[in-house]
Amino acid sequence: MLNMNLRDTEMRRTVHLTIAEGNGREILEAKTKNEDLPSFELLSLIDNLSKSIHIAQPISIGTVSEQLSADSSFCVPRVVLHQKEMKLAGAAVISGKTGKMLGWIGEEETAGLNLVQGTGKSEEGHKGGIIEAVIKGSRDPFSYEIGKIRSKIIPIVKNGQLSFRVDIKVEGRLGEDWALNENAFEKDYLDRVNAAVKTRIEQIVNNTLKKTQKDFRVDVAGFGKQLHIHYPKEWKKRKENWDEVFSRIPVSLDVTVKTEEFALKGKKK
């Protein structure tokens, strides 16, 4: 379906691509909230990437062309109707080898993918968003507002065996907090907040890796690219069937969470 767009020199390769389940006409006939045209409304939703880690990284037709030419798998943001208005929710997973869609990942799995890929210096800006968590032994939920994400995919080659470690560093602030008897001015409480967010991030990322690496058996986060950069000889050995090889490679996580702000909340009087 993209053949004409990829071959015609008059088509702009910078056009963003989204995918809908079923009839795309319903999306283009949806109510608009902030813009006059549905296409502009959709573009404004894509711009919300800087405010939510649950929105998939935008992808252009030019980038899709590059990924398909390199047999690299990728994700395309999914657009759905929610209460008759369009919404970006999850993504479609596309096999680079076949060019076919393998299935969907949900919003939380999309968040995990964003956490693995980190911020970088893309023109789309940094990722923010909310992580909801509960401190171990408590029933009181809180929301952690992400300010910065820095992540790095590190390939490790030892005795001929390949593995990956993903280092994720998150900085943010304590937002809505229902632990009314706790004191956010106390370091002990903030340490427990950081530990709870760390655990929640590990759950989200591990679920994402299970879905993409084990269920779909594809690399959509760029692990192969990092292997190519750091160990080109090892990449050359594995690149022909990389998605299948990647599905069997162990991936470990190293997550660091730091709370920079906690507004003005102290202990309940």
Side-chain angles (χ1 to χ4, degrees), residues 213-233:
Q213 184 187 20
K214 302 302 181 183
D215 295 348
F216 290 141
R217 304 173 77 86
V218 291
D219 171 19
V220 292
F223 286 87
K225 181 178 180 180
Q226 294 305 313
L227 179 63
H228 188 191
I229 292 171
H230 296 283
Y231 296 96
K233 291 182 180 179

Side-chain angles (χ1 to χ4, degrees), residues 148-268:
K148 295 179 183 178
I149 305 172
R150 296 185 180 90
S151 70
K152 187 182 294 184
I153 297 174
I154 303 171
I156 301 168
V157 179
K158 189 174 182 180
N159 299 325
Q161 299 298 311
L162 173 62
S163 63
F164 287 97
R165 187 179 81 242
V166 181
D167 289 351
I168 302 173
K169 292 181 172 57
V170 174
E171 296 179 10
R173 66 189 297 273
L174 182 61
E176 186 175 0
D177 183 7
W178 286 91
L180 301 180
N181 292 318
E182 294 285 1
N183 188 350
F185 298 150
E186 294 290 337
K187 182 179 181 300
D188 174 69
Y189 178 58
L190 290 182
D191 286 344
R192 285 181 283 140
V193 165
N194 291 339
V197 176
K198 170 185 165 74
T199 298
R200 186 71 185 113
I201 287 175
E202 290 171 342
Q203 291 173 345
I204 292 172
V205 172
N206 281 324
N207 288 340
T208 299
L209 289 174
K210 180 181 182 301
K211 187 77 170 181
T212 58
Q213 184 187 20
K214 302 302 181 183
D215 295 348
F216 290 141
R217 304 173 77 86
V218 291
D219 171 19
V220 292
F223 286 87
K225 181 178 180 180
Q226 294 305 313
L227 179 63
H228 188 191
I229 292 171
H230 296 283
Y231 296 96
K233 291 182 180 179
E234 295 294 331
W235 167 250
K236 190 174 181 179
K237 295 177 187 176
R238 299 170 171 87
K239 69 176 184 178
E240 290 302 321
N241 198 25
W242 172 246
D243 279 339
E244 181 61 32
V245 171
F246 175 67
S247 68
R248 301 189 297 270
I249 295 176
V251 178
S252 61
L253 303 178
D254 186 358
V255 179
T256 304
V257 176
K258 184 177 182 181
T259 302
E260 294 283 0
E261 300 178 40
F262 43 83
L264 298 175
K265 177 189 177 296
K267 188 174 181 179
K268 181 181 177 182

Side-chain angles (χ1 to χ4, degrees), residues 113-131:
L113 187 60
N114 284 330
L115 286 162
V116 170
Q117 293 176 317
T119 58
K121 294 182 179 178
S122 72
E123 60 186 20
E124 308 297 342
H126 70 278
K127 297 180 181 70
I130 304 294
I131 296 287

